[in-house]
Amino acid sequence: MATIHIDDSKPFPYFPAEPNNKRETFADFCKRQALGLNLVSDEMEQEKREQAEMQELMKKNCERKYALFYDNLDLIMRHRDEIRGTPRYANIDVHYLVRGGGLYVGPLVTTKRFNFTGTIVNINLKLSTLLEIWDNAQFKVECNCGGTAVIRSFTGSPLSGSSLATAICPNCKKEIHVKNRSFGGYYSLLHLMLDKDIESVSRKIVANWTFAEVNYNKKVTEGKDAKWNKAGSELHGDGEPCNLETMINELKMKEFGESVYSRT
């Protein structure tokens, strides 16, 4: 076997020896690094710190929303049909409400990030999708109070198929531990439903863009000035988004108004 000897005491490639053109050896470089050579700029370190702070803030935000949602689970389940039929409610991001994972497959993914020509787009599990998941027998448990609890976390193994899950009852708020259900039944359904949300969002964007192009070409055909407007200016979304806090408040106000009306 041939042996290659590298002499790192000489610069490579060769540079003419000049007073201001000194090259250090790799060994000297390692020594400087051990003494605290900064290979990352201060600006890059600052960006890392700020990103970590934002992630911590987002984590606390999701934990607060998690508690708020399950404290009002009875309200949400009473209005589940209305939520599904109201796009601003149905499309609320709830990726933080179901937790799971298992051996060999890692943690459950309920949000996916895509990079489209430098633009980052997150597509998350939607509230209407979660309500649809909870309609599946795999995710429902009968509670002793007479209500129907829903699975909100699970763990297990895809090899043995065993699992351990926790469910919460919207009526009595009791937490129930569930054993011996198929791990694949939990994991595969959630994975499938997230893919369904991704497909839905992608198709909606394509449809909206097609509609925008039609409107733009129509204006050009009519002879309207399109010099400063392109098809992108005709692209519109689904209106103002709605957050979980607003939805809960609106549903509570609706029930309050209905109770007052029923007493008059």
Side-chain angles (χ1 to χ4, degrees):
M1 179 181 295
T3 302
I4 300 176
H5 297 279
I6 299 177
D7 182 7
D8 66 347
S9 64
K10 298 179 181 179
F12 181 84
Y14 174 76
F15 286 91
E18 296 179 6
N20 297 324
N21 188 26
K22 296 180 180 180
R23 299 291 300 274
E24 66 179 341
T25 66
F26 180 71
D28 290 336
F29 173 80
C30 291
K31 290 178 182 178
R32 286 204 302 125
Q33 187 177 8
L35 293 174
L37 173 64
N38 186 15
L39 299 179
V40 180
S41 69
D42 292 339
E43 292 80 8
M44 293 173 66
E45 292 290 355
Q46 181 179 358
E47 173 67 12
K48 287 182 179 180
R49 290 194 299 269
E50 291 176 354
Q51 288 294 332
E53 291 172 0
M54 287 190 289
Q55 289 177 5
E56 182 62 25
L57 181 61
M58 182 61 68
K59 179 181 177 181
K60 292 180 179 179
N61 178 258
C62 288
E63 289 174 350
R64 178 185 61 78
K65 287 176 177 287
Y66 181 90
L68 176 67
F69 181 91
Y70 285 110
D71 285 344
N72 291 275
L73 183 59
D74 53 336
L75 172 75
I76 291 167
M77 298 305 280
R78 285 197 299 271
H79 293 271
R80 59 193 307 162
D81 291 336
E82 179 183 352
I83 291 172
R84 286 177 171 177
T86 308
R88 58 192 295 267
Y89 293 164
N91 292 325
I92 290 176
D93 166 25
V94 295
H95 77 277
Y96 51 86
L97 291 179
V98 181
R99 301 168 181 175
L103 296 173
Y104 312 109
V105 295
L108 175 71
V109 176
T110 54
T111 180
K112 286 190 177 181
R113 173 176 290 190
F114 299 90
N115 181 351
F116 295 107
T117 62
T119 300
I120 304 301
V121 177
N122 288 325
I123 301 180
N124 305 314
L125 187 70
K126 299 182 180 301
L127 179 53
S128 60
T129 304
L130 178 59
L131 293 176
E132 185 177 348
I133 290 171
W134 280 342
D135 279 340
N136 190 285
Q138 175 83 13
F139 283 82
K140 295 194 291 187
V141 184
E142 295 304 316
C143 181
N144 292 333
C145 74
T148 301
V150 292
I151 301 293
R152 65 176 177 180
S153 66
F154 66 90
T155 185
S157 169
L159 294 183
S160 66
S162 62
S163 69
L164 176 63
T166 57
I168 184 171
C169 177
N171 294 345
C172 65
K173 300 299 192 298
K174 178 182 177 181
E175 188 171 82
I176 303 171
H177 296 283
V178 184
K179 298 180 180 179
N180 302 322
R181 288 191 179 180
S182 168
F183 172 81
Y186 293 127
Y187 194 89
S188 59
L189 180 59
L190 275 161
H191 183 76
L192 178 66
M193 296 305 283
L194 177 60
D195 285 348
K196 181 180 176 181
D197 277 345
I198 294 172
E199 179 182 355
S200 175
V201 171
S202 302
R203 289 183 180 277
K204 188 66 177 293
I205 292 174
V206 171
N208 285 350
W209 175 252
T210 302
F211 184 72
E213 284 188 310
V214 171
N215 281 346
Y216 171 73
N217 291 329
K218 181 180 179 181
K219 287 185 177 181
V220 173
T221 302
E222 293 173 350
K224 297 181 179 179
D225 183 16
K227 182 178 180 180
W228 303 109
N229 293 315
K230 297 297 181 183
S233 64
E234 301 292 332
L235 180 63
H236 303 286
D238 297 324
E240 291 297 322
C242 180
N243 55 42
L244 178 65
E245 294 78 5
T246 300
M247 182 193 74
I248 289 176
N249 185 69
E250 290 179 357
L251 294 178
K252 285 182 176 180
M253 294 301 294
K254 181 178 181 179
E255 287 193 350
F256 176 75
E258 291 174 347
S259 65
V260 172
Y261 179 78
S262 64
R263 292 198 297 266
T264 58

